[in-house]
Amino acid sequence: MGYSEDLKIVQDAINFGEVKEQLKELEIKVVTKYQIRDNYFPTNYYLL
């Protein structure tokens, strides 16, 4: 999905139709959770 410093922009992008179409192309039928990785601490993940 790319990079953004604003969490709200990322959350809005998830709900946008284009992301849903990308998931269909990848044949992903069910998404149970979205999380992002911290670039400064690659072992840290945060739920969206």
Side-chain angles (χ1 to χ4, degrees):
M1 288 182 37
Y3 169 81
S4 176
E5 291 184 7
D6 187 354
L7 184 57
K8 178 76 172 125
I9 292 172
V10 175
Q11 290 171 328
D12 290 343
I14 289 171
N15 295 320
F16 189 65
E18 187 175 316
V19 172
K20 293 178 183 177
E21 289 299 318
Q22 290 173 358
L23 293 174
K24 282 183 189 176
E25 288 177 19
L26 296 170
E27 298 181 2
I28 297 173
K29 296 184 180 12
V30 177
V31 177
T32 56
K33 67 180 175 181
Y34 290 97
Q35 59 187 157
I36 56 174
R37 180 175 55 98
D38 186 329
N39 285 332
Y40 295 107
F41 301 101
T43 57
N44 293 347
Y45 288 85
Y46 305 96
L47 293 176
L48 294 176

